[in-house]
């Protein structure tokens, strides 16, 4: 049985992705384009590295849309910290 063919896996979503997108957007907006590379490769690297350091938050969304909200101050701080750290690492050592 092919799970992929039998079930609609599009309804699966990782809320942590949304949290990281929002935080990265905020932090990148606060830095001038002259000070950091915001190209496609660097930003995708930042997203991957951040997500690999954070616990996934998978859920089923019947709406197909995720209205994600960070539920604790502690988690919010952790996401901020991870994203800031990754942002600096990638900008200092871009993959190109
Ligand atoms: Zn770049």
């Amino acid at each position: 049985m092919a799970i992929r063919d039998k079930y609609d896996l599009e309804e699966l979503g990782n809320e942590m992705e949304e949290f990281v997108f929002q935080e990265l957007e905020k932090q990148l907006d606060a830095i001038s384009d002259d000070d950091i590379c915001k190209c496609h490769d660097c930003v995708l690297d930042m997203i991957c590295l951040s997500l690999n350091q954070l616990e996934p938050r998978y859920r089923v969304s019947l709406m197909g849309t995720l209205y994600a909200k960070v539920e604790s101050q502690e988690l919010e701080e952790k996401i901020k910290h991870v994203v800031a750290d990754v942002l600096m690492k990638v900008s200092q050592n871009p993959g190109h």
Side-chain angles (χ1 to χ4, degrees):
M1 179 184 73
I3 293 263
R4 235 171 228 293
D5 296 337
K6 201 168 175 195
Y7 300 94
D8 182 8
L9 302 181
E10 294 294 308
E11 287 180 9
L12 268 183
N14 180 4
E15 277 184 344
M16 191 53 79
E17 287 181 4
E18 195 52 44
F19 299 157
V20 166
F21 295 160
Q22 287 170 12
E23 184 55 36
L24 188 58
E25 198 176 305
K26 228 187 284 173
Q27 293 194 23
L28 284 176
D29 280 351
I31 305 172
S32 155
D33 289 4
D34 297 331
D35 294 332
I36 192 171
C37 181
K38 299 181 185 177
C39 79
H40 179 264
D41 289 353
C42 284
V43 170
L44 261 72
D45 265 357
M46 290 170 193
I47 294 169
C48 278
L49 290 169
S50 297
L51 284 171
N52 281 339
Q53 287 182 55
L54 293 158
E55 286 284 310
R57 286 292 165 98
Y58 276 97
R59 53 170 275 185
V60 176
S61 166
L62 297 174
M63 305 289 291
T65 316
L66 296 169
Y67 296 102
K69 228 182 170 166
V70 183
E71 75 282 358
S72 76
Q73 187 91 38
E74 198 189 344
L75 181 62
E76 203 177 317
E77 288 303 315
K78 188 175 181 196
I79 295 167
K80 262 188 207 156
H81 180 81
V82 166
V83 169
D85 190 52
V86 161
L87 203 147
M88 197 150 65
K89 273 185 192 148
V90 171
S91 69
Q92 284 171 356
N93 193 14
H96 54 74

